[in-house]
Amino acid sequence: MRVGVLTGGGDCPGLNAVIRAAVRAGITRYGHEFLGLRHGWRGLLECETTPLDLDVVRGLIGKGGTILGSSRTNPYGHEGGARNAADNMAALGLDALIAIGGEDTLGVANRLHHDFGLRTVGVPKTIDNDLSGTDYTFGFWTAVQIAVEAIDRLTTTAESHDRVIVVEVMGRHAGWIALESGLAGGADAILIPELAADPDRVVAYLREREARDQHFAIVVVSEGVTLGDGTVTGATDEFGHTSLAAAGVGERLAGYIANATGKEARAVVLGHVQRGGTPTAFDRALATRYGIHAARMVDNGAFGRMAALRGAEIIDVPIEEAVGTLKTVPPELFADAEVFFG
Ligand code: F6P
């Protein structure tokens, strides 16, 4: 079989490890042949390809980013784009396609499978960890690790200056990074998009701390949090998502805290630092297991399905299950984190 591979959406640590594992397993175990598609779905729309063989994937396990490039191109957002994508699969002689991506990329893989019978297999990627059907997406725990390292450093400077530091982390619709990094970093308050933000509650926590002679604080906030004013600015991509980088919830929350408490407050936006660089050992291993399983799925004909982690096992589920509903932070999990607020 000749198998295409693409990486779509925001990049994340572990993409190259998936590519390496899928190609290694596919060639050595099943005798498949591979072709890389450049920049996500754009590569299929424009037949922009790159060779993918054992030599190309050698040494990729710890390399950040994606050797295939990525984009947020949506074939369904272009007149005739989906048909074009299906036709190009045939033109490129591809029998199957491994799509490594999040909700948007996998949503397209699912539609192309159902609308045109394309033989697609999905691998769940996103630092946001908001895909259903799997316990974890690869890249998530690396982003959390990066955020925790930042929080540790920000804590010592906050303490030295009796300041409040608001750490804005990624997470458009789901607060997984904020929750886990806040818990692991010992944050004094965490705000996630799933729950209505109450800046006065944060101020109350800070006052409790002052009363206990704790004059500094770390507040972790997801970029997708709105402070009651609903303000979101920035460009919209082909999947209709607004870039939140310019919304500045961290800055606005820091301003609010400074006004309400009279304390010095600073905001730090971690941004793309959370997506760059080498994956953690966990993500290298998870990405590798996903890649091996994706090659197995192609060989087994498990199309329209996505590799998934359930407990300690790698299984596969219909892509539909993963992209149907966003996996958000359950309120009871957040309630446990509240033990440490204030
Ligand atoms: O891939 C997910 C993500 O990192 C989100 O957390 C974030 O909102 C978005 O991508 C940023 O996108 P871009 O890299 O296009 O600014």
Side-chain angles (χ1 to χ4, degrees):
M1 272 210 253
R2 190 166 147 90
V3 186
V5 182
L6 64 81
T7 53
D11 71 339
C12 90
L15 282 164
N16 286 324
V18 177
I19 297 167
R20 166 183 176 267
V23 170
R24 275 285 277 272
I27 292 176
T28 60
R29 282 193 172 165
Y30 309 113
H32 294 164
E33 206 184 297
F34 286 85
L35 184 67
L37 295 161
R38 300 276 299 143
H39 301 114
W41 293 112
R42 198 167 93 205
L44 189 55
L45 290 182
E46 297 176 3
C47 287
E48 204 194 329
T49 64
T50 185
L52 212 45
D53 56 25
L54 293 176
D55 283 340
V56 173
V57 301
R58 190 161 294 128
L60 284 186
I61 183 83
K63 190 174 158 63
T66 162
I67 56 159
L68 297 178
S70 192
S71 78
R72 296 192 190 274
T73 298
N74 178 4
Y76 283 91
H78 294 253
E79 182 72 31
R83 171 86 265 166
N84 190 14
D87 289 347
N88 288 347
M89 277 285 286
L92 292 168
L94 293 175
D95 303 299
L97 178 66
I98 297 176
I100 311 168
E103 186 205 357
D104 297 330
T105 304
L106 298 186
V108 171
N110 190 42
R111 285 181 75 178
L112 289 173
H113 175 67
H114 290 290
D115 295 350
F116 300 96
L118 287 199
R119 302 161 87 190
T120 53
V121 158
V123 177
K125 166 244 65 160
T126 165
I127 63 161
D128 290 0
N129 195 40
D130 57 2
L131 268 179
S132 297
T134 184
D135 289 353
Y136 293 113
T137 51
F138 71 88
F140 166 66
W141 282 108
T142 303
V144 170
Q145 181 64 34
I146 293 166
V148 171
E149 282 162 19
I151 290 169
D152 284 350
R153 288 173 191 280
L154 293 168
T155 301
T156 61
T157 171
E159 188 165 11
S160 306
H161 290 268
D162 288 348
R163 281 175 176 157
V164 178
I165 297 192
V166 177
V167 188
E168 183 183 311
V169 297
M170 280 188 168
R172 257 200 246 264
H173 311 292
W176 291 106
I177 299 178
L179 177 76
E180 299 292 4
S181 68
L183 262 181
D188 305 297
I190 301 170
L191 284 86
I192 60 173
E194 290 88 337
L195 299 170
D198 182 355
D200 291 325
R201 188 125 180 245
V202 176
V203 168
Y205 288 136
L206 302 180
R207 294 213 168 103
E208 279 171 26
R209 286 178 62 75
E210 288 289 335
R212 291 200 316 268
D213 238 6
Q214 299 271 285
H215 303 292
F216 72 98
I218 296 288
V219 177
V220 178
V221 60
S222 291
E223 61 179 348
V225 165
T226 50
L227 292 180
D229 57 5
T231 322
V232 173
T233 55
T236 302
D237 68 19
E238 290 188 13
F239 289 91
H241 299 303
T242 304
S243 164
L244 298 177
V249 65
E251 276 297 342
R252 284 185 290 126
L253 184 59
Y256 190 92
I257 289 170
N259 279 338
T261 63
K263 291 184 71 63
E264 276 194 312
R266 298 283 190 271
V268 174
V269 181
L270 295 188
H272 292 83
V273 114
Q274 295 158 98
R275 289 213 323 230
T278 190
T280 57
F282 178 86
D283 276 333
R284 291 179 193 206
L286 180 62
T288 298
R289 293 179 70 201
Y290 277 154
I292 293 169
H293 196 69
R296 185 182 295 130
M297 288 163 71
V298 168
D299 198 61
N300 288 343
F303 300 118
R305 298 181 68 82
M306 179 190 85
L309 177 72
R310 288 285 167 83
E313 248 185 291
I314 302 288
I315 57 159
D316 48 81
V317 298
I319 299 181
E320 241 128 35
E321 200 179 303
V323 298
T325 11
L326 218 59
K327 186 177 70 185
T328 51
V329 173
E332 57 280 10
L333 207 57
F334 188 78
D336 278 356
E338 282 179 313
V339 169
F340 303 98
F341 293 2

